[in-house]
């Protein structure tokens, strides 16, 4: 079908090409959502009624960027309300010199290499700054620290209108950082076509790991300084959410979970020991005070208790150990003899959620396996089960920065700002605060799905 897409683009049938991309990319997740919302089934790939997705961008104040790699090219569809679809193709020959210098074979290889470089810059943090909420180091025979010292991410020093990057590694001072190069490759070619105050990004492949908010133009300005940014797995899933019944999602109820007392458990024949997460507990207690809700912590934060409450509330917040690959979340066991402490993608998929917003304050909660249909992870499972939007993290986040971010975010939510606006304003506040102005501290959080506004009891 990739050849079909490029052929249609050559024939200037851009809408039809986008529709085929969408139907292939969205199929498995959208089918789950069709069942949840009792929506009409998706058309077949060979149907003559392939859908145009302009109406997913209903507000003139928004632009949508849908990316797709095919035949070595990066295609970018730009959609705006009441506008024809625009298409930009970055071809291999456009970047031939840079691609050859990087040893890549195509535009896709080169861009994905840049995306992975960008991601690795922010992957490792020192133990003093970040309590480990990921699962992979929890086996007793696993060395908690990588033998290599954590790399420091680039330092961004902001002047009045500029931002310089200081590279610490010798030999790399003449090379632009990935955040700037990625802007040149994926944003600069379409920058004049982006209108309004918000961009909805439909990433493809490794672009799902890119913190679009932190992409930087030649003047040293972050993309987030001009636009609010949120992600969606596909335009199809966004349309299904937007078209869901008005009374489907709950208008009240909050579930806050933090620092579950997991302890030492046996899982698949191996003994796992989960360390306490005191910063996660402080985080949910702080949020609980803002929302006037008692959080589930310690021994009360069991999988059984969470599953009893998760299906009926409007807001879900979880601060716990999270697995990087599949997104399992570790909760307190109800019975230590049973393997019943992981909240898995399968558990979430089996629940009919009514939540407008799910906040996953776990390490790497925005990650997962990258497949043709997008990132398959825990955030996707929440969307597939009926959640309207999910706030997740692309990498492990500094504890103090997370606390500061969440305080700002929830204060904006309580003041009836939308999730997208709350995220945007919180990032702005952190960038302007010297203690949190580094990209790795303010840029990991991504909003996936629709934009929502919540009502809280006063």
């Amino acid at each position: 079908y990739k050849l079909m897409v490029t052929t249609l683009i050559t024939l200037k049938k851009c809408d039809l090409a986008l529709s085929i991309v969408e139907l292939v990319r969205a199929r498995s997740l959208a089918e789950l959502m069709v069942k949840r919302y009792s929506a009409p089934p998706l058309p077949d790939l060979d149907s003559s009624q392939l859908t145009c997705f302009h109406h997913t961008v209903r507000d003139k104040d928004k632009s949508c960027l849908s990316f797709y790699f095919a035949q070595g090219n990066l295609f970018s569809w730009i959609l705006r309300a009441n506008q024809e679809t625009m298409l930009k193709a970055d071809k291999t020959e456009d970047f031939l010199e840079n691609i050859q210098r990087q040893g890549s074979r195509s535009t896709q290889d080169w861009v994905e290499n840049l995306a992975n470089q960008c991601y690795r810059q922010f992957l490792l943090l020192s133990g003093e700054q970040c309590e480990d909420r990921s699962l992979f180091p929890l086996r007793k025979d696993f060395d908690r620290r990588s033998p290599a010292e954590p790399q420091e991410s680039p330092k961004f020093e902001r002047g009045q209108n500029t931002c310089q990057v200081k590279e610490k590694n010798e030999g790399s001072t003449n090379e632009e950082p990935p955040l700037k190069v990625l802007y040149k490759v994926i944003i600069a070619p379409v920058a004049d076509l982006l209108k309004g105050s918000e961009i909805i990004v439909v990433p493809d492949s490794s672009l799902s790991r890119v913190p679009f908010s932190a992409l930087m133009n030649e003047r040293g300005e972050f993309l987030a300084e001009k636009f609010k940014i949120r992600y969606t797995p596909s335009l199809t899933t966004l349309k299904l959410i937007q078209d869901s019944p008005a009374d489907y999602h709950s208008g009240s109820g909050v579930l806050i979970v933090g620092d579950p007392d997991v302890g030492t458990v046996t899982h698949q024949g191996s003994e796992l020991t989960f360390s306490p997460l005191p910063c996660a507990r402080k985080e949910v207690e702080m949020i609980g005070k803002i929302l006037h809700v008692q959080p589930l912590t310690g021994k009360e934060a069991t999988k059984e208790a969470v599953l009893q409450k998760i299906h009926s509330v409007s807001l879900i917040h979880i601060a716990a150990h999270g697995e990087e690959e599949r997104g399992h979340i570790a909760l307190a066991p109800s019975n230590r003899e049973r393997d019943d402490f992981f909240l898995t993608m399968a558990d979430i998929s089996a629940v009919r959620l009514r939540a407008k917003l799910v906040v996953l304050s776990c390490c790497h909660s925005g990650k997962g396996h990258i497949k043709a249909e997008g990132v398959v992870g825990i955030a996707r499972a929440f969307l597939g089960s009926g959640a309207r939007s999910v706030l997740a993290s692309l990498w492990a986040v500094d504890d103090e920065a997370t606390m500061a971010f969440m305080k700002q975010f929830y204060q904006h939510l309580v003041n009836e700002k939308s999730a997208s606006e709350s995220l945007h304003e919180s990032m702005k506040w952190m960038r302007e605060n010297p203690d949190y102005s580094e990209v790795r501290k303010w840029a990991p959080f991504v909003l996936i799905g629709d934009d929502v506004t919540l009502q809280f009891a006063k």
Side-chain angles (χ1 to χ4, degrees), residues 23 26-44 236-237 240 380 384:
L23 289 173
R27 176 66 62 179
S28 58
L29 177 58
E31 286 177 349
L32 289 174
M33 298 173 71
V34 162
K35 294 178 182 178
R36 286 289 183 266
Y37 299 133
S38 300
L42 299 176
D44 295 329
T236 307
T237 55
L240 285 167
R380 175 190 175 97

Side-chain angles (χ1 to χ4, degrees), residues 87 216 371:
L87 178 70
M216 186 192 301
K371 299 185 177 181

Side-chain angles (χ1 to χ4, degrees), residues 66 108 124 145 162 226 234 245 285 295 300 309 317 325 401:
S66 180
Q108 179 172 356
L124 297 174
R145 279 305 191 87
T162 60
K226 185 175 181 181
S234 67
E285 288 175 346
E300 295 180 352
K309 298 182 179 182
H317 182 105
E325 291 299 320

Side-chain angles (χ1 to χ4, degrees), residues 22-89:
E22 275 291 310
L23 289 173
V24 174
R25 175 154 56 193
R27 176 66 62 179
S28 58
L29 177 58
E31 286 177 349
L32 289 174
M33 298 173 71
V34 162
K35 294 178 182 178
R36 286 289 183 266
Y37 299 133
S38 300
L42 299 176
D44 295 329
L45 186 59
D46 59 354
S47 170
S48 60
Q49 298 181 5
L50 291 169
T51 308
C52 177
F53 296 95
H54 295 286
H55 52 289
T56 57
V57 188
R58 300 170 176 173
D59 191 335
K60 292 183 179 180
D61 202 36
K62 296 179 176 62
S63 299
C64 179
L65 262 176
S66 180
F67 296 102
Y68 186 67
F69 289 109
Q71 306 300 309
N73 299 327
L74 173 62
F75 297 103
S76 306
W77 282 271
I78 304 95
L79 292 86
R80 300 205 305 263
N82 303 319
Q83 298 277 332
E84 290 187 5
T85 304
M86 292 163 280
L87 178 70
K88 171 69 180 178

